[in-house]
Amino acid sequence: MRLYLIRHGRQSSKLCNLDVDLSEAGYSQASLLGQRLAGAGIQVVYSSETRRAIQTAQAANYYWRVNHYLYPELREISFGEMEGLSEQEIALRFSDVREDMEKMEYDLAYPGGECAGDVVRRVIPVFREIMETGYERVAIVTHGGVIRSMVAYYMNMDLAKWRLLGKDLENCSITELLSRPVAGPRGQVGHEGGVDQPQQAGDDDVPARRQHRVVALEDLLEQGVDAGAQTGGDDAGDQGHEDVAEGLEHALDLVVLLGRLEVGLVGLPVSA
């Protein structure tokens, strides 16, 4: 099964997390998204109940013509007291909060809102339900905070550091989750979902992590250099190194094997 996690199109307001319509640019992005995945064999689309997510799904689904279902659990992370404020107001009123969050020592909730662990708790049951439907190609139109939190969870990252992923996650970008059998130790194929690991301190009630194998950054960089050497010499190799390094910073092209779940972070703008 392939899950395409899609961030909604650009919205018509720059105020924090208001439930507003897409902008004209957002509709264009959603249309390009639909065209981009027109040949992907999308069988069903899910979205949150926010207007920007619904409208993105509807505009893209013009090219897919599949059933569209709403899940309120796919809504954006709650920014609490920051919601409805401008970036300038947030910077002025919550400078101390932002400073604490930027330290990434704890999975801190926004004042009156949610943390990454809260997002994981409400989204994991939805993902599990979707993965049991039997569909092979699924589009999920959701939000940046949801995508970044869930990828951090599946990568077994400390959820305090979820903001490291997808700093520039573009509207209507695509993050792919690929579910398939993966051989475990000594060639054994693990049970679905892998083996539960102990939860980390501070992760109370967060679903237990799964045993997984991470492709190290050094391996990816080495692969980039090798690929460059095969296709264009040292200059191409250096470019491969830079591309992969940039990919890590922006949650692009990093691969994680997670029991039966392979996570490929694409996150490329549809205009690319």
Side-chain angles (χ1 to χ4, degrees), residues 43-201:
Q43 297 168 294
V44 65
V45 57
Y46 300 91
S47 76
S48 75
E49 293 184 331
T50 62
R51 280 185 277 178
R52 59 190 183 273
I54 292 173
Q55 291 166 4
T56 300
Q58 289 174 334
N61 197 26
Y62 174 82
Y63 299 93
W64 308 335
R65 305 292 182 174
V66 298
N67 289 332
H68 175 196
Y69 300 101
L70 306 182
Y71 275 92
E73 295 87 351
L74 295 173
R75 66 188 177 276
E76 177 62 294
I77 189 171
S78 171
F79 296 95
E81 298 171 17
M82 297 182 183
E83 296 192 348
L85 302 181
S86 68
E87 180 64 25
Q88 294 76 12
E89 289 175 306
I90 292 172
L92 181 64
R93 292 174 52 181
F94 298 96
S95 59
D96 291 344
V97 174
R98 281 190 158 184
E99 184 176 337
D100 288 340
M101 287 183 166
E102 287 172 0
K103 295 176 183 176
M104 292 184 284
E105 296 175 345
Y106 306 99
D107 182 23
L108 298 175
Y110 290 96
E114 293 181 305
C115 63
D118 295 326
V119 173
V120 170
R121 276 185 284 271
R122 62 174 159 87
V123 174
I124 278 290
V126 175
F127 276 25
R128 288 175 178 164
E129 181 177 335
I130 291 173
M131 293 180 69
E132 293 174 356
T133 60
Y135 291 117
E136 291 298 324
R137 297 289 186 273
V138 177
I140 301 176
V141 181
T142 182
H143 304 262
V146 173
I147 295 171
R148 295 164 73 191
S149 297
M150 295 307 298
V151 169
Y153 168 78
Y154 281 129
M155 289 176 64
N156 204 28
M157 287 176 59
D158 180 351
L159 291 182
K161 304 185 186 305
W162 68 273
R163 293 175 184 83
L164 288 174
L165 297 174
K167 293 180 180 179
D168 298 317
L169 193 65
E170 180 60 80
N171 294 100
C172 285
S173 61
I174 303 165
T175 301
E176 293 184 32
L177 306 186
L178 176 60
S179 172
R180 63 177 178 81
V182 175
R186 300 180 183 177
Q188 296 177 350
V189 176
H191 298 291
E192 183 167 358
V195 180
D196 287 343
Q197 289 183 329
Q199 295 176 221
Q200 297 181 1

